[in-house]
Amino acid sequence: MSLRTAAWVFLAISGVTACSDGTAPSPASQPRLPSFSYSANGTALNQANGTLRENGTCPVISPCIVKGFNPTNPHHGDAIVATFYWVGSTNIIDSVDDVLTDAQYTRVGNKYNLVDYVTAGGYSMATYLATNVQNFPDPNDPSNGVVLAVRALLSQYPTDGGVTISSWTGVYDTFAGALADHAFASGSDTTVTTAHTRPITADSGAMVYTVTMGGLTGLD
């Protein structure tokens, strides 16, 4: 998908292969960045995390898939991208919200908009975007373990699922203003092959977000 900043474009591509039984989240360690919602200097990754092997059992509300930004929250004004994965060929996500990981899993209230739902080969993935996130501790208190978490509320329990979450500084404040373009593709092959979507144009200062799910014996 392609997201705009005030002066630049933030791009993201989502894809799914037809033969798939696993996912690979990106590493989570990223530096602390300034707190603002968009910048003429372009976008920058703030925080990232993820989880796999989830069966939909969650605290307070089930079925769901939920993951926190351990150990450090995003900044106020960041955009959050969340991609959920599960075994199955139907969209079982009723809604996506964010919560604090306290005893009550208190709802935070940022709005998550669906960018794309993709299914192929008996597997599914869906990417959501929230812009200009607010109403959580920034920074969080590391002594109590309470962090911001993104949660998908599901219509049924998945046999296997997961999510990758990331926050980005420098993205435009609103979903309508931020989302410019997005693309996905799926397929299968028995030999080494290059997987890609259609071309997407990225301006200077842009960030390209891509996510892949597949039954892969190797990935470069």
Side-chain angles (χ1 to χ4, degrees):
M1 62 185 175
S2 170
L3 305 181
R4 300 184 181 93
T5 67
W8 311 98
V9 177
F10 159 92
L11 293 176
I13 306 170
S14 61
V16 60
T17 61
C19 298
S20 173
D21 58 7
T23 58
S26 300
S29 176
Q30 297 296 334
R32 183 180 176 89
L33 297 170
S35 178
F36 47 77
S37 60
Y38 59 86
S39 168
N41 295 323
T43 59
L45 177 63
N46 184 355
Q47 300 296 323
N49 214 317
T51 184
L52 293 173
R53 304 299 184 190
E54 300 295 324
N55 61 10
T57 303
C58 301
V60 181
I61 296 178
S62 288
C64 81
I65 297 173
V66 62
K67 184 69 183 87
F69 279 98
N70 310 86
T72 303
N73 276 350
H75 291 310
H76 292 167
D78 279 0
I80 294 177
V81 181
T83 300
F84 297 89
Y85 319 85
W86 64 96
V87 176
S89 300
T90 58
N91 191 350
I92 61 173
I93 297 180
D94 288 333
S95 63
V96 173
D97 63 3
D98 50 16
V99 296
L100 298 178
T101 57
D102 54 21
Q104 297 76 35
Y105 268 60
T106 303
R107 291 194 177 192
V108 174
N110 293 297
K111 181 175 177 55
Y112 288 78
N113 296 277
L114 176 64
V115 177
D116 260 324
Y117 163 72
V118 185
T119 184
Y123 300 85
S124 290
M125 62 194 301
T127 297
Y128 285 77
L129 169 69
T131 57
N132 192 25
V133 293
Q134 304 288 335
N135 304 323
F136 54 89
D138 177 17
N140 54 293
D141 182 355
S143 68
N144 61 23
V146 176
V147 295
L148 180 71
V150 183
R151 177 177 65 180
L153 302 176
L154 309 176
S155 60
Q156 64 187 61
Y157 288 89
T159 57
D160 195 2
V163 59
T164 54
I165 54 175
S166 55
S167 69
W168 303 87
T169 297
V171 176
Y172 201 91
D173 279 9
T174 67
F175 178 75
L179 184 62
D181 192 15
H182 52 96
F184 63 86
S186 63
S188 62
D189 203 340
T190 57
T191 62
V192 175
T193 188
T194 300
H196 58 86
T197 69
R198 62 170 172 79
I200 294 180
T201 301
D203 290 348
S204 175
M207 183 278 295
V208 175
Y209 173 87
T210 180
V211 59
T212 302
M213 181 173 66
L216 305 173
T217 56
L219 178 66
D220 291 327

